[in-house]
């Protein structure tokens, strides 16, 4: 018997006789326990709200609904820009990101889940094409009518966005990338040319087309919070909270401590003021950043936005990489939903207790109509997994 065999047999004998050593064979480092250990969640899986008690189900369900409807939403946007609103099936299979279907899956499976909105057909050459149904074509015409009727309001939103920017200009590509968040039509780049009194298109030093503000309008430099202050002063005062440092050590009662914190919170900093010159870690800069996000969300269709849509304008709006911590501290006003990799910010005051928007834009009502058709086509994966 080798030295290794003798050592192993002796160790095993001692372990079986000694109950204190018996646990070594089931320790966290043993193969058996290591196999059963749960893998740590990745940022793609970890919720941005780690404590379940702090999560608001109706906000979280909105993001789950978005995930379920990603294919029909992206496919509608992509196909509507194609000639004759059709796309070769073989080409569609390569566009998982553009059409919103999972990588490695066949796109035809996603198409067949929505027979009311999408269809396939063959040409004389035998090739299969994807296109819209008559119902979807009717919906597109209805949406185009809404876009035309809301054009003035959309241009006002863009003007306010430019007025918040540091240099009163933004790359057209950034606005186009976030167009669906604000309800801006796909042909926005052409429509702005109709308003030379408000916009000017130029080219920056990097050769990018840039949209510039022609003239400052004081009547538009009024934030949503300032408008609400007229009708709900107490509500606006409670919107943000910036505690006075050292207030606890002063031995004040609850009421006096609240008053002291309110003195530190007010006045707020307008998102239309010059924020680029503020020191990043100053109280005024923090007030400015949360005010900018509040105004940004108030300009969106659903009073919410993914963080990467907000940070798309990081330089223009003088935001910092520490924006997460700014928002976390203002839980009265903002709700963060989703995962650490892809989270969204909700403007809580824009929703009722059931998670429904209080004021619904015509484009939002149209989107809800489209979603109903999509979910009716695919009830098993939709109704059983979320409540819309």
């Amino acid at each position: 018997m080798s030295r290794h065999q003798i050592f192993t047999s002796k160790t095993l004998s001692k372990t079986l006789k000694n109950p204190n050593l018996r646990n070594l064979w089931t320790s966290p480092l043993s193969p058996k326990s290591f196999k059963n250990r749960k893998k740590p969640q990745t940022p793609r899986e970890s919720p941005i709200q780690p404590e379940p008690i702090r999560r608001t189900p109706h906000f979280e369900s909105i993001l789950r609904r978005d995930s379920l409807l990603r294919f029909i939403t992206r496919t509608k946007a992509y196909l509507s820009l194609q000639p004759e609103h059709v796309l070769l099936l073989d080409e569609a299979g390569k566009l998982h990101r553009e059409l919103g279907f999972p990588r490695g899956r066949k796109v035809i499976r996603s198409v067949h889940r929505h027979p009311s909105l999408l269809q396939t057909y063959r040409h004389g050459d035998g090739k299969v094409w994807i296109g819209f149904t008559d119902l979807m074509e009717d919906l597109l015409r209805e949406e185009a009518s809404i876009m035309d009727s809301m054009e003035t309001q959309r241009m006002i939103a863009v003007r306010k966005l430019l007025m918040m920017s540091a240099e009163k200009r933004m790359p057209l590509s950034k606005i186009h990338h976030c167009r669906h968040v604000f309800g801006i039509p796909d042909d926005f780049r052409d429509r702005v040319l109709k308003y030379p009194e408000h916009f000017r298109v130029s080219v920056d030093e990097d050769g990018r087309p840039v949209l510039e503000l022609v003239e400052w309008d004081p009547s538009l430099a009024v934030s949503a919070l300032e408008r609400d202050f007229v009708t709900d002063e107490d509500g606006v005062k409670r919107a943000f909270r910036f505690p006075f440092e050292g207030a606890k050590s002063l031995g004040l009662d609850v009421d006096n401590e609240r008053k002291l914190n309110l003195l530190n919170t007010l006045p707020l900093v307008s998102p239309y003021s010059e924020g680029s010159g503020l020191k990043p870690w100053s109280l005024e800069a923090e007030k400015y950043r949360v005010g900018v996000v509040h105004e940004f969300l108030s300009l969106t269709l659903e009073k919410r936005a993914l963080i990467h849509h907000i940070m798309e304008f990081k330089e223009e709006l003088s935001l910092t990489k520490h924006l997460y911590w700014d928002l976390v501290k203002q839980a009265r006003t903002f709700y963060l939903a989703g995962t650490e990799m892809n989270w969204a910010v909700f403007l809580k005051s824009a929703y009722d207790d059931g998670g429904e928007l209080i004021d619904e834009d015509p484009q939002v009502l149209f989107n809800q109509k489209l979603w109903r058709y999509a979910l009716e086509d695919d009830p098993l994966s939709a109704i059983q997994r979320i409540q819309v």
Side-chain angles (χ1 to χ4, degrees):
M1 183 179 293
S2 67
R3 290 180 61 188
H4 174 71
Q5 290 173 326
I6 294 173
F7 177 78
T8 303
S9 61
K10 287 182 178 180
T11 303
L12 178 60
S13 177
K14 290 180 181 179
T15 301
L16 294 177
K17 290 178 182 179
N18 188 343
N20 295 325
L21 297 177
R22 205 171 294 161
N23 291 333
L24 288 173
W25 295 93
T26 58
S27 70
L29 299 178
S30 67
K32 182 177 179 180
S33 62
F34 183 79
K35 185 177 181 180
N36 295 330
R37 285 174 64 186
K38 290 185 178 180
K39 294 182 179 179
Q41 287 185 316
T42 65
R44 188 184 297 275
E45 303 167 325
S46 300
I48 196 69
Q49 296 281 357
E51 300 179 26
I53 194 172
R54 293 182 177 274
R55 296 176 197 159
T56 304
H58 54 251
F59 287 139
E60 302 290 345
S61 68
I62 289 175
L63 295 190
R64 290 196 296 272
R65 179 201 64 192
D66 288 350
S67 178
L68 286 174
L69 296 170
R70 183 181 296 117
F71 173 73
I72 194 63
T73 302
R74 291 190 182 180
T75 299
K76 176 183 92 52
Y78 190 86
L79 268 184
S80 62
L81 298 178
Q82 304 306 307
E84 304 298 327
H85 295 169
V86 295
L87 183 64
L88 194 63
L89 179 62
D90 291 342
E91 293 298 323
K94 305 172 186 177
L95 302 172
H96 67 92
R97 184 184 300 275
E98 291 82 355
L99 301 184
F101 65 93
R103 181 194 291 268
R105 301 282 183 89
K106 292 185 177 181
V107 65
I108 194 66
R109 294 178 58 186
S110 298
V111 172
H112 286 163
R113 285 169 51 195
H114 303 288
S116 296
L117 304 174
L118 300 173
Q119 63 180 345
T120 58
Y121 53 91
R122 293 180 183 273
H123 271 310
D125 57 6
K127 294 183 178 179
V128 180
W129 295 73
I130 299 173
F132 292 140
T133 63
D134 291 341
L135 171 61
M136 183 60 124
E137 293 287 358
D138 290 339
L139 289 172
L140 288 179
R141 284 188 285 270
E142 180 183 342
E143 183 178 33
S145 177
I146 293 173
M147 291 288 185
D148 291 339
S149 66
M150 299 298 294
E151 182 173 297
T152 301
Q153 287 84 340
R154 303 300 183 242
M155 295 304 149
I156 290 175
V158 175
R159 291 169 65 192
K160 289 173 75 70
L161 198 60
L162 291 173
M163 290 172 65
M164 282 195 291
S165 64
E167 298 183 3
K168 311 302 177 278
R169 63 201 300 241
M170 288 181 175
L172 267 169
S173 59
K174 292 190 176 185
I175 300 175
H176 187 262
H177 175 69
C178 300
R179 64 193 183 281
H180 298 306
V181 179
F182 299 100
I184 297 172
D186 292 328
D187 60 349
F188 165 73
R189 292 168 176 166
D190 298 326
R191 296 198 186 211
V192 294
L193 301 178
K194 294 160 42 179
Y195 301 91
E197 70 277 16
H198 300 316
F199 307 109
R200 179 172 51 247
V201 179
S202 61
V203 179
D204 66 7
E205 57 275 8
D206 296 324
R208 298 178 301 176
V210 174
L211 188 66
E212 298 181 350
L213 184 70
V214 171
E215 186 177 6
W216 180 272
D217 187 346
S219 67
L220 295 182
V222 180
S223 68
L225 278 174
E226 290 175 296
R227 292 196 305 270
D228 293 343
F229 189 83
V230 178
T231 57
D232 187 12
E233 180 178 339
D234 291 336
V236 172
K237 287 180 178 179
R238 292 193 301 269
F240 297 121
R241 183 172 180 268
F242 296 94
F244 184 82
E245 289 188 20
K248 295 290 184 183
S249 62
L250 297 177
L252 302 174
D253 58 31
V254 175
D255 189 51
N256 284 326
E257 183 179 341
R258 182 186 62 81
K259 291 179 180 179
L260 182 60
N261 289 333
L262 186 60
L263 288 174
N264 202 48
T265 300
L266 300 177
L268 299 174
V269 179
S270 171
Y272 296 101
S273 61
E274 184 55 59
S276 59
L278 298 174
K279 295 182 179 179
W281 295 110
S282 66
L283 178 62
E284 289 73 19
E286 187 175 349
K287 289 181 180 181
Y288 171 79
R289 290 193 295 268
V290 296
V292 163
V293 173
H294 187 286
E295 186 70 0
F296 183 97
L297 296 178
S298 73
L299 296 176
T300 64
L301 284 179
E302 298 187 52
K303 314 310 176 194
R304 64 182 175 102
L306 293 171
I307 187 59
H308 72 261
H309 285 141
I310 298 175
M311 296 306 287
E312 181 83 14
F313 305 97
K314 176 183 175 182
E315 292 79 14
E316 290 80 7
L317 300 180
S318 304
L319 302 176
T320 71
K321 63 180 180 179
H322 304 290
L323 182 62
Y324 167 78
W325 298 109
D326 294 335
L327 300 178
V328 164
K329 291 188 287 185
Q330 307 300 336
R332 295 176 180 177
T333 295
F334 304 117
Y335 179 81
L336 311 186
T339 63
E340 292 179 0
M341 179 172 285
N342 193 26
W343 47 281
V345 187
F346 287 79
L347 194 59
K348 294 169 68 173
S349 61
Y351 291 80
D352 63 20
D353 293 338
E356 299 292 334
L357 274 170
I358 297 173
D359 295 320
E360 294 180 318
D361 186 274
Q363 182 65 44
V364 173
L365 296 175
F366 170 83
N367 291 342
Q368 292 173 353
K369 182 178 180 179
L370 175 66
W371 296 337
R372 283 195 295 271
Y373 281 117
L375 296 179
E376 286 171 4
D377 278 344
D378 192 21
L380 184 61
S381 66
I383 297 176
Q384 290 185 355
R385 289 171 61 185
I386 61 172
Q387 293 181 347
V388 179

